């Protein structure tokens, strides 16, 4: 899968650097290795992240933007690098360790995964859980992946719930379930030395589709996600709430674009499958960067909710207050977690747009921050 990309300047050198970080010969594995060798999740994961980052670094993406970035499963590591929170080398190294630890966890017990297509969502999930399995991927309406013991998966296939069709998946084990607990523990220890930056674009979490605000929270979520279900359905719902109008899927591409076509009707989509698609992607990015730009620098920024929940303002932050970048503005409490809202830039809190206790949906405006250069207040 890497062969077509090696024709581009600098790709061979970049993959060599990635391979050194991963402790693997990614050039060989992505070109001449046989199918059995690359089916090993310890190899597949760093290969996928490496290719995604080869592509992203050739799109001219700036990290300080209002774009939305998200990745499915190991793709979260690619997204972390695209957001500027991790370096590309750090993301590939983490993918290699993640793949190795998950492969080791898979070897401890015979487990697997099966896709359930169609059927009533609630009935399908209930049927999965009744067998002691986990709905490990909830990708879209009518597309759920169950994971757990092979015995329970056989029972699921024998009596599919909710009218769904069951198809066994060729994977090493029950990813995103309790069976990956040893991998989570090992990754927590390995990642302790990482010093991530805060994501600059809006970066969505697989856990609940909410925006991740800080680098440390991102790394903690990446570690926990190996045992948590992937809620790609919630990531897409947040994209809809935020008004996303176009999406580009990095290579190897096609699966997520097909899901988005069904779940986000009307948006422009591009799956980058070969170097020939790069120019189309650059045009999409440039046209949206230019769209709506005026002849002056924007004077204020609207901070929006990262998730659906109950909003609580931070104490001591009032209208007219000067705030530094990263200042805590409040929290959104969901059924599962509390999500901090922080100032994305220094400025003056010009206006609260929500009150304490308001129930808000993802993407709703919370507060208006004025750029200090355009504000009549004093220095800060």
């Amino acid at each position: 899968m890497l062969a077509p990309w090696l024709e581009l300047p600098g790709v061979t050198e970049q993959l060599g650097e990635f391979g050194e970080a991963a402790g693997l010969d990614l050039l060989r594995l992505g070109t001449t290795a046989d199918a059995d060798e690359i089916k090993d999740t310890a190899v597949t994961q760093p290969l996928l992240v490496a290719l995604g980052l080869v592509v992203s670094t050739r799109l001219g993406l700036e990290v300080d933007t209002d774009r939305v970035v998200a990745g499915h499963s190991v793709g979260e590591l690619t997204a972390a690098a695209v957001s500027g929170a991790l370096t590309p080398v750090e993301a590939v190294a983490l993918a290699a360790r993640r793949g190795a630890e998950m492969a080791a966890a898979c070897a401890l017990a015979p487990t697997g995964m099966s896709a359930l297509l169609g059927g009533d969502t609630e009935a399908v999930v209930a049927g999965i859980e009744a067998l002691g399995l986990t709905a490990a991927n909830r990708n879209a309406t009518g597309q759920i992946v169950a994971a757990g013991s092979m015995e329970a998966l056989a029972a699921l296939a024998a009596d599919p719930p909710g009218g769904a069709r069951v198809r066994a998946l060729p994977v090493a084990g029950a990813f995103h379930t309790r069976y990956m607990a040893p991998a989570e523990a090992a990754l927590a220890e390995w990642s302790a030395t990482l010093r991530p930056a805060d994501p600059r674009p809006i970066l969505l979490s697989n856990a609940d589709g909410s925006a991740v605000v800080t680098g440390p929270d991102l790394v903690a979520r990446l570690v926990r996600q190996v045992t948590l279900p992937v809620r790609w359905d919630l990531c897409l719902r947040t994209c809809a709430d935020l008004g996303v109008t176009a999406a580009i899927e990095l290579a190897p591409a096609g699966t997520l674009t097909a899901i988005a076509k069904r779940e986000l009707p009307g948006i422009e989509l591009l799956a980058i499958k070969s170097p020939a698609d790069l120019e189309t992607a650059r045009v999409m990015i440039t046209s949206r960067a230019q769209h709506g730009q005026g002849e002056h620098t924007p004077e204020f920024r609207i901070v929006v909710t990262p998730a659906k929940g109950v909003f609580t303002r931070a104490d001591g932050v009032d209208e007219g207050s000067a705030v530094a970048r990263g200042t805590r503005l409040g929290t959104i409490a969901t059924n599962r977690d509390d999500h901090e809202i922080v100032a994305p830039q220094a400025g003056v809190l010009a206006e609260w747009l929500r009150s304490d206790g308001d129930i808000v949906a993802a993407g709703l405006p919370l507060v208006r921050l004025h750029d200090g250069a355009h504000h009549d207040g004093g220095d800060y």
Side-chain angles (χ1 to χ4, degrees), residues 243-260:
V244 168
T245 60
I248 296 173
E249 183 183 359
L250 301 179
T255 300
L256 299 183
T257 302
I259 294 173

Side-chain angles (χ1 to χ4, degrees), residues 117-136:
L117 307 175
D120 177 76
T121 297
E122 297 307 316
V124 168
V125 172
I128 289 170
E129 294 176 347
L131 290 171
L133 297 166
T134 299

